[in-house]
């Protein structure tokens, strides 16, 4: 099996109540690829500039991510984002977004990337997502992420892209913005009416929900002792989630998707404990499995027949 | 077994995006008692004024709640609260709070109320909570709710009250306000250091967490199709939670507390589907059990040994 991810490769600057970094490796495709690398062979498609160096490649290669389709734009600069998290860590303000080489990104997939069994379309222009999705016509499972900006200014292309994927991943605010529905299941069902057979609704520090045509599934965030930096948590989640589906041969049965929610949750919880990719870059499979098992323990209960009055 | 609740009995006026009510039965003790009435004999202690009538008593008696300790203050008016919910239903503004008979409330417990096996101290002045707690010296399980106001202006009396109960129920914002801790488990542990052996952290529409010295447990809100009015949801949750512990003889073992979290969650989900007490007043035990079982189904997953790379 092989997994391709298309999306941003970036330098991030962040400030949180616990400190900050002036320049760290980031981007949705990077966080996704590191997380997914525990499950499958992962190819990253995305652009970088002259400033993207050996140290950054080393982080990806350290997790055996295949970087052949990272496009080096000569004379260009890598996408840069900077933001500051509020005191409660729940929300953040973007200070600066320099698209740089990302501005004219036109994904070019090698044959190996096109031949993927599983595809993740990270948050980029919806028309590009559709373009890539159609190139990967053998993919058995395709998931897509997006953001408020595209719901605002490119809703029709986003609907077109959504209609050709198996699974959409958005946060609860975006689902409400997209559908006008306040309730998560109702909103997710409206999006699934466009074509997808599953929808993941990210709830930030409260966890995530999986909605399929017949049921829903809910998992809390793994309770960590300390959150240093939430940046990339959603993409790490997606990497664990989609990676787990890939490890099951693209099988999107309910049991696999639920387990995938747990793996995504576990990896995201490591991501937030340190800045950027720092923690996930040295993560081990054993650590991930231990948190998945702990997630089962902290959510399980037995129903007992009580005779109610 | 018997259960006593001390707290507010009120008329509420609410507006939500789905409509409103100009005057409906409410108050923490009322919502709690209706929910707990499915599990045990429940006595309500709280003050009402001349305006509190047969119709309101009928709602409580309809669920076999014992109202002997409802204190009728002649010439007084019942506590009145009005509020308006924001578009997202997550937050609300208080428009008016008329304490009325509640202003000089000094709980008077009959012998039967004092002899309770389980006691719930709904959100009232912390010094009164402590007073009542000491009167009920045979209680095997005592839980306490509070609010931001008391954390701000009566923290020492609140700490004194907390130090003599078994379980504290607060929302996540209040835990952070009380302890300065951003993370739920860390905050809950700080509060438990004051004495309690369990802490419930309410997460609003995202569910609730149970923290005990050795572990945590997380349950989502039951996903309803429609939320008409969140007023009283937290007290309905507490009624189901504490009621379930009472139904187990005040046994606060982990298994009982987890099941209690599910019962509280299930009853709260009915509460929000209609205004005030309207839905819970005609709720059945079968409906509650069905949602508890559904909660188990929508949170369960099997861990499967994956060989990670």
């Amino acid at each position: 099996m092989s997994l391709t991810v298309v999306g941003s490769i970036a330098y991030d600057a962040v400030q949180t109540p616990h400190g900050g970094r002036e320049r760290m490796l980031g981007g949705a495709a990077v966080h996704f690829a590191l997380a997914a690398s525990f499950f499958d062979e992962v190819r990253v498609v995305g652009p970088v500039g002259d400033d993207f160096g050996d140290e950054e490649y080393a982080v990806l290669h350290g997790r055996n991510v295949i970087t052949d389709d990272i496009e080096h734009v000569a004379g260009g600069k890598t996408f840069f984002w900077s933001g500051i998290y509020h005191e409660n860590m729940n929300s953040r303000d973007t200070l600066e977004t320099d698209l740089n080489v990302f501005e004219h990104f036109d994904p070019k997939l090698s044959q190996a990337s096109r031949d993927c069994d599983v595809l993740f379309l990270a948050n980029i222009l919806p028309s590009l997502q559709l373009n890539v999705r159609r190139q990967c016509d053998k993919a058995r499972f395709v998931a897509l992420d997006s953001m408020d900006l595209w719901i605002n200014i490119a809703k029709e292309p986003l609907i077109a892209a959504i209609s050709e994927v198996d699974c959409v991943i958005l946060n609860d605010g975006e689902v409400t913005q997209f559908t006008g529905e306040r309730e998560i299941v109702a909103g997710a069902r409206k999006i699934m009416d466009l074509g997808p057979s599953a929808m993941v609704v990210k709830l930030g520090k409260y966890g995530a929900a999986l909605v399929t045509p017949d049921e829903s599934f809910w998992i809390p965030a793994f309770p960590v002792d300390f959150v240093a930096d939430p940046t990339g948590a959603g993409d790490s989640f997606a990497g664990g989630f989609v990676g787990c589906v890939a490890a099951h041969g693209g099988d999107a049965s309910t049991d696999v998707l639920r387990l995938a929610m747990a793996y995504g949750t576990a990896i995201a919880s490591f991501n937030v404990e340190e800045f950027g990719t720092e923690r996930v870059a040295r993560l081990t499979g054993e650590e991930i499995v231990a948190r998945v098992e702990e997630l089962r323990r902290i959510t399980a209960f037995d129903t007992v027949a009580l005779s109610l009055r």
Side-chain angles (χ1 to χ4, degrees), chain A:
Chain A
M1 301 292 295
S2 78
L3 201 173
T4 295
V5 52
V6 181
S8 62
I9 300 166
Y11 287 113
D12 291 339
V14 300
Q15 294 168 53
T16 82
H18 299 299
R21 293 289 185 276
E22 288 188 3
R23 186 178 175 82
M24 64 188 189
L25 176 61
V30 168
H31 286 290
F32 178 95
L34 292 175
S37 70
F38 289 92
F39 302 89
D40 202 352
E41 187 175 277
V42 179
R43 286 184 170 74
V44 177
V45 181
V48 298
D50 291 338
D51 51 348
F52 200 79
D54 293 344
E55 215 172 306
E56 286 71 37
Y57 278 112
V59 172
L60 292 165
H61 294 155
R63 288 289 325 144
N64 296 311
V65 172
I66 300 170
T67 57
D68 300 350
D69 279 12
I70 290 185
E71 182 186 357
H72 175 200
V73 180
K77 280 184 69 181
T78 302
F79 177 54
F80 176 78
W81 175 83
S82 76
I84 180 165
Y85 285 84
H86 300 167
E87 192 55 32
N88 66 8
M89 299 272 240
N90 248 354
S91 51
R92 67 186 187 193
D93 290 324
T94 289
L95 300 177
E96 199 177 339
T97 304
D98 300 330
L99 290 176
N100 298 328
V101 297
F102 209 59
E103 189 168 1
H104 300 291
F105 176 45
D106 181 20
K108 293 168 198 71
L109 279 66
S110 63
Q111 192 60 44
S113 280
R114 276 201 300 274
D115 285 345
C116 63
D117 301 287
V118 169
L119 172 65
F120 182 63
L121 303 162
N123 169 33
I124 57 173
L125 201 68
S127 58
L128 295 182
Q129 292 179 314
L130 182 57
N131 174 327
V132 171
R133 195 273 166 269
R134 287 181 175 169
Q135 288 184 54
C136 300
D137 56 352
K138 294 189 199 75
R140 288 178 229 173
F141 182 79
V142 181
L144 170 154
D145 185 19
S146 192
M147 73 186 292
D148 52 357
L149 175 68
W150 309 126
I151 299 171
N152 273 331
I153 69 169
K155 193 166 181 185
E156 286 310 314
L158 179 57
I159 288 172
I162 285 174
S163 71
E164 299 194 20
V165 304
D166 302 290
C167 179
V168 174
I169 303 178
L170 293 175
N171 66 42
D172 54 342
E174 291 160 350
V175 170
T176 298
Q177 183 196 357
F178 193 106
T179 65
E181 291 283 347
R182 263 184 219 93
E183 302 311 318
I184 286 168
V185 174
R189 293 256 155 84
K190 267 200 183 173
I191 291 174
M192 290 163 60
D193 285 343
L194 301 172
S197 53
M199 166 109 213
V200 173
V201 183
K202 294 178 288 185
L203 309 173
K205 69 174 184 174
Y206 297 108
L210 168 73
V211 184
T212 53
D214 301 322
E215 56 181 34
S216 65
F217 169 73
W218 304 73
I219 194 163
F222 183 92
V224 295
D225 293 331
F226 178 79
V227 175
D229 169 25
T231 310
D235 299 306
S236 289
F237 173 91
F241 176 80
V242 175
C244 183
V245 174
H248 288 82
D251 169 14
S253 67
T254 295
D255 283 351
V256 170
L257 291 180
R258 287 182 173 213
L259 185 64
M261 293 284 285
Y263 273 98
T265 298
I267 300 180
S269 75
F270 287 106
N271 177 299
V272 303
E273 290 185 308
E274 298 183 20
F275 281 84
T277 61
E278 291 167 16
R279 181 66 182 92
V280 176
R282 63 167 203 281
L283 189 58
T284 67
E286 289 72 24
E287 290 173 317
I288 297 170
V289 168
R291 286 205 175 170
V292 168
E293 286 169 356
E294 178 73 2
L295 275 164
R296 200 184 63 75
R297 278 193 296 273
I298 67 174
T299 57
F301 67 96
D302 287 324
T303 54
V304 178
L306 278 185
S307 67
L308 299 186
R309 292 162 172 243

